[in-house]
Amino acid sequence: MITRDREAFAGLARNTAPDFGPSCAKAAFLVVPEGFALAEQSASDNAYMDLGVRVDPARALDQHRDLHRALAGVLPTVAFPGDPATPDALFPNNVFGTAPGRLILGHMRHPVRQREAERADIRGFFAAMGYRERDLRAQPGICELTGALVIDRARGLGYAGLGERCDEAGAAAMHAAFGLRATLMFDLAAGEYHTNVVMSVLAGRALVVCPAGFADPGVASAIAALYAPHVLELSPDQKGRFAGNCIALSDDRVWISQAGADALRPGQRDALAEAGFALAPVALDEIEKAGGSLRCCVAEIY
């Protein structure tokens, strides 16, 4: 099922067992922010970027190394070299996605990001492990993978936020490529560029969501009902500090930027603890100047 009908989706989702696959990735990869800079094309539809802000490439590299070191303590994490010609490549989850035995290449909106999918080293890495390639670049829909599509891997459910970086054709292409059981399509609020900034499903059992990031906040409420009581509702200010751009890479820990963690209220931290999660914050304020945060940096390997 792929639909805009939230009631039909909820009816199926409520009766879907968490037996689709592992709720968390078995490994991850990053792309080093070599020559860290702000991409002008990306800034055209990313309200979280300010081209007038000064960036410090050395500090971005240091923060990225800290992230790599921290993640590697939990699961195997590979880092591929970056390229100054592709300044947004440090957010590889938009271009590369995986399902068991499959590497999926997304159809990026901006030419500066389309070049990233040509990388022979990343594609060769997965080919050597026997992954088949599913290339979505030739199909007509724009689909920026797990930036646009938040996936509940335990149940095989997808949440596709539509906007400049994902349209209905692209959502359908991702639904098929990831082999999902059901995908709910909905419009993001004006000014939002990726779904994974306004919501995150944590290990299939908890939800972080900002209703203001949805064109219809009622959609956020319908999704929240599927994960109650383990739901953290974010304010627009918390969303702006990337509290929603978090990820569970194990059943007991939520990775989030330090800015995002600092934005959480005590009650929200308690709610995560009640759901069985400890916070694992990493300082990424320099990288966040590029309009993305921790979850955007992590490409999951299933």
Side-chain angles (χ1 to χ4, degrees):
M1 171 194 286
I2 179 167
T3 181
R4 280 182 173 268
D5 186 333
R6 63 195 191 215
E7 293 182 2
F9 177 87
L12 185 150
R14 279 194 297 268
N15 297 302
T16 299
D19 59 359
F20 184 75
S23 61
C24 299
K26 64 182 180 181
F29 77 85
L30 314 174
V31 175
V32 177
E34 301 285 355
F36 181 66
L38 305 186
E40 186 172 348
Q41 289 179 20
S42 297
S44 68
D45 60 356
N46 184 338
Y48 298 83
M49 294 177 67
D50 179 357
L51 291 177
V53 171
R54 176 184 173 276
V55 298
D56 184 341
R59 189 163 184 265
L61 279 171
D62 286 343
Q63 291 187 341
H64 199 266
R65 288 190 196 100
D66 289 343
L67 174 63
H68 187 186
R69 201 159 31 240
L71 296 184
V74 174
L75 78 170
T77 306
V78 178
F80 290 94
D83 180 352
T86 55
D88 276 341
L90 80 159
F91 303 133
N93 77 306
N94 308 150
V95 182
F96 302 99
T98 64
R102 297 193 299 282
L103 172 68
I104 301 161
L105 304 180
H107 185 180
M108 306 301 292
R109 181 185 183 212
H110 297 296
V112 69
R113 302 224 59 191
Q114 292 168 4
R115 295 197 293 268
E116 296 173 37
E118 300 295 338
R119 291 190 58 147
D121 55 347
I122 295 177
R123 295 168 70 175
F125 174 82
F126 285 96
M129 294 194 296
Y131 280 60
R132 304 183 313 277
E133 198 167 275
R134 184 75 175 266
D135 192 343
L136 304 184
R137 292 176 296 168
Q139 57 82 40
I142 299 298
C143 49
E144 300 203 350
L145 300 188
T146 54
L149 179 71
V150 170
I151 304 175
D152 179 339
R153 299 276 186 164
R155 294 175 177 79
L157 304 176
Y159 301 95
L162 306 182
E164 298 286 350
R165 308 277 185 107
C166 180
D167 54 26
E168 288 198 9
M174 292 190 293
H175 172 80
F178 283 101
L180 300 176
R181 286 169 168 164
T183 295
L184 177 65
M185 298 182 295
F186 51 88
D187 294 321
L188 294 173
E192 297 295 349
Y193 77 109
H194 273 162
T195 313
N196 73 4
V197 179
V198 305
M199 67 174 283
S200 178
V201 174
L202 304 174
R205 69 175 191 270
L207 176 74
V208 179
V209 65
C210 179
F214 294 68
D216 177 0
V219 175
S221 298
I223 297 171
L226 299 173
Y227 296 93
H230 301 309
V231 176
L232 269 71
E233 184 174 309
L234 302 179
S235 68
D237 177 68
Q238 290 175 314
K239 172 181 65 69
R241 296 172 67 184
F242 294 107
N245 196 239
C246 54
I247 187 171
L249 293 169
S250 62
D251 287 332
D252 61 353
R253 196 174 306 184
V254 174
W255 295 90
I256 187 170
S257 75
Q258 188 65 60
D262 290 345
L264 295 178
R265 299 186 298 273
Q268 292 172 319
R269 290 169 174 264
D270 292 342
L272 283 176
E274 290 168 6
F277 293 109
L279 279 178
V282 180
L284 295 173
D285 52 289
E286 195 65 39
I287 284 170
E288 287 173 337
K289 293 176 182 178
S293 189
L294 191 146
R295 196 275 170 267
C296 297
C297 291
V298 180
E300 300 161 286
I301 300 176
Y302 282 88

